[in-house]
Amino acid sequence: MKVLAIESSCDDTSFSIVSDEKSIDFIKTINHRKFHKKHGGVIPEIAARQHLDIMDYLQKSIKKLDFKKIDAIAATYGPGLIGGLIVGSSFAKGLSIGKQKKLIPINHLQAHLLSPRLTSSLSFPYLCLLVSGGNTALVLVKNPKKFITLGSTIDDSAGECFDKVSKALGLGYPGGPIIEKLALKGDRYKYKLPLPLTKVKNCNFSFSGLKTAAIDSINKNKGNKKFIENFCASFQYTVGEIFKKKIGNSLDVMHNDGIKFKDFSICGGVAANQYLNQLIRDFIIEKKINFHQVPLSLCTDNAAMIGWNAIELMQYRKIKLNNYNTRPTPNVLIHENF
Ligand code: KG4
């Protein structure tokens, strides 16, 4: 079984061909970062136009593709920026009608949450920390259609916090990879930052207080290269401590509710952070749970996870696969299926 998949929810246009044998036969991801960089964040109108231009390129390149080998077309229908979602989903719909293939609308967040199973053998149910530019949540993945959110951010996401702190430090966008690199040379204990909501015994996160405290501290201490390195290390350390505390709470919830599981993973853009991965890996392994790391290229937005989600759905029972009336939806939630 092979699926041609398209991802266009934010500032990456990606297409991929994925098979049910867990192989990524093809993947091409084109990032629009350079067009958004000077604005310090993603500009929706610029992103939509970029997706449109890149789709044009995709249209030309798939002329050579043998569609006899493709079983279905999948695309991200939400959540995301409406311009990009319209471009990607319209392209997928046209292609599936033209080539008479099944059309599978995908929830981008569910695709992130299922992505660990593309490269690793996690069995349902498993626990996943989803940390991306738009979301931070602890989710119990029960099957390809059932996702239970144990807790999520009540304000900013972790990724957004990385991006805003990076901007305040005068570094680039996206902030996560830059902060991670500079943190390698810094002292993580140099600056004490708040750990919002960690005294509350639940699985919700809050990052806006950390963001404000970090920006205030940066404005007061504005300084040299050493200051930036130390600050990056201290900030990244604080995020890691928040993650650990909330993951610990989620393990308690699972225990108290008698839910048995043996696998854990982190997914989404922030999961590309090696320091955070190592920290959480150690924490999880100590609790005698298997930790599965998503490869770097599958952490940030990509079409392989969209294709894989489609395969998971096709292999699952009672799935509506040809809903041409499905509309792209910018604000769909984790547990909402298309
Ligand atoms: O999942 P993703 O690619 O896309 C959206 O949610 O749109 O996540 C992007 C986020 C950005 O906030 C970026 O700063 C963060 O992931 N990110 C990282 C790292 N790489 C990307 N955060 C921390 N460390 C990283 N190495």
Side-chain angles (χ1 to χ4, degrees):
M1 202 192 303
K2 283 190 199 293
V3 172
L4 171 68
I6 299 165
E7 156 61 33
S8 61
S9 63
C10 192
D11 60 345
D12 292 284
T13 315
S14 179
F15 32 99
S16 181
I17 298 174
V18 184
S19 93
D20 60 347
E21 281 156 0
K22 296 198 170 188
S23 73
I24 301 171
D25 296 354
F26 176 81
I27 182 152
K28 174 101 182 151
T29 303
I30 301 172
N31 190 275
H32 324 157
R33 206 162 290 156
K34 64 176 181 219
F35 300 99
H36 301 286
K37 208 167 188 162
K38 66 174 174 211
H39 305 287
V42 179
I43 305 296
E45 180 64 25
I46 296 176
R49 285 168 195 274
Q50 284 301 312
H51 289 302
L52 204 54
D53 285 353
I54 300 165
M55 265 340 135
D56 214 31
Y57 160 76
L58 171 61
Q59 191 168 12
K60 285 178 193 130
S61 54
I62 56 174
K63 279 196 178 128
K64 298 166 216 146
L65 191 69
D66 180 4
F67 271 87
K68 280 195 219 87
K69 294 187 182 141
I70 302 289
D71 296 281
I73 316 279
T76 303
Y77 271 60
L81 302 171
I82 188 63
L85 294 175
I86 289 175
V87 172
S89 63
S90 305
F91 187 89
K93 183 173 169 180
L95 197 61
S96 70
I97 293 172
K99 301 286 180 190
Q100 299 188 326
K101 302 289 172 189
K102 293 173 188 121
L103 174 65
I104 309 180
I106 298 293
N107 176 329
H108 177 89
L109 300 175
Q110 295 182 357
H112 269 306
L113 289 161
L114 290 167
S115 67
R117 276 170 51 91
L118 173 53
T119 51
S120 221
S121 51
L122 292 84
S123 26
F124 296 122
Y126 60 89
L127 202 56
C128 200
L129 172 66
L130 167 66
V131 270
S132 67
N135 285 273
T136 302
L138 273 157
V139 182
L140 176 66
V141 184
K142 293 195 88 174
N143 65 46
K145 291 202 82 180
K146 194 152 173 91
F147 300 81
I148 294 171
T149 302
L150 304 180
S152 59
T153 180
I154 58 165
D155 41 54
D156 297 341
S157 71
E160 190 181 342
C161 198
F162 266 98
D163 294 335
K164 294 280 162 59
V165 168
S166 170
K167 192 174 178 188
L169 284 167
L171 308 170
Y173 170 83
I178 307 168
I179 289 181
E180 180 180 8
K181 197 163 167 218
L182 289 162
L184 288 173
K185 298 184 201 142
D187 172 4
R188 72 179 80 158
Y189 304 114
K190 186 81 185 170
Y191 297 97
K192 197 162 166 43
L193 291 162
L195 299 153
L197 226 59
T198 47
K199 290 204 172 75
V200 186
K201 193 115 184 69
N202 67 15
C203 303
N204 287 336
F205 299 85
S206 167
F207 285 101
S208 81
L210 171 60
K211 177 186 74 182
T212 308
I215 294 173
D216 277 355
S217 178
I218 293 165
N219 290 339
K220 277 189 208 124
N221 293 293
K222 268 213 164 83
N224 55 18
K225 194 163 160 254
K226 200 68 226 161
F227 163 75
I228 293 177
E229 288 167 356
N230 287 336
F231 199 84
C232 286
S234 302
F235 169 73
Q236 185 178 256
Y237 166 77
T238 308
V239 173
E241 294 308 297
I242 295 171
F243 284 170
K244 254 183 8 190
K245 185 85 192 152
K246 293 298 174 171
I247 292 170
N249 291 352
S250 74
L251 300 183
D252 291 345
V253 169
M254 302 289 276
H255 180 74
N256 294 341
D257 290 355
I259 304 169
K260 298 245 178 309
F261 76 104
K262 54 183 175 57
D263 298 299
F264 184 97
S265 189
I266 332 176
C267 61
V270 181
N273 186 298
Q274 294 310 296
Y275 166 82
L276 294 173
N277 253 291
Q278 193 57 49
L279 186 82
I280 296 170
R281 172 191 290 275
D282 294 347
F283 181 72
I284 286 294
I285 289 177
E286 206 183 281
K287 310 274 179 203
K288 310 259 179 297
I289 298 165
N290 303 321
F291 180 85
H292 303 266
Q293 184 165 355
V294 175
L296 276 190
S297 59
L298 296 183
C299 287
T300 47
D301 290 350
N302 67 87
M305 68 179 190
I306 304 301
W308 175 249
N309 191 151
I311 286 174
E312 292 261 29
L313 286 173
M314 287 162 83
Q315 289 176 337
Y316 199 65
R317 62 207 136 83
K318 288 191 214 141
I319 305 296
K320 213 166 28 165
L321 292 167
N322 255 344
N323 194 345
Y324 291 130
N325 297 324
T326 304
R327 295 166 77 98
T329 314
N331 51 3
V332 64
L333 302 174
I334 288 176
H335 62 274
E336 289 177 318
N337 295 313
F338 281 110

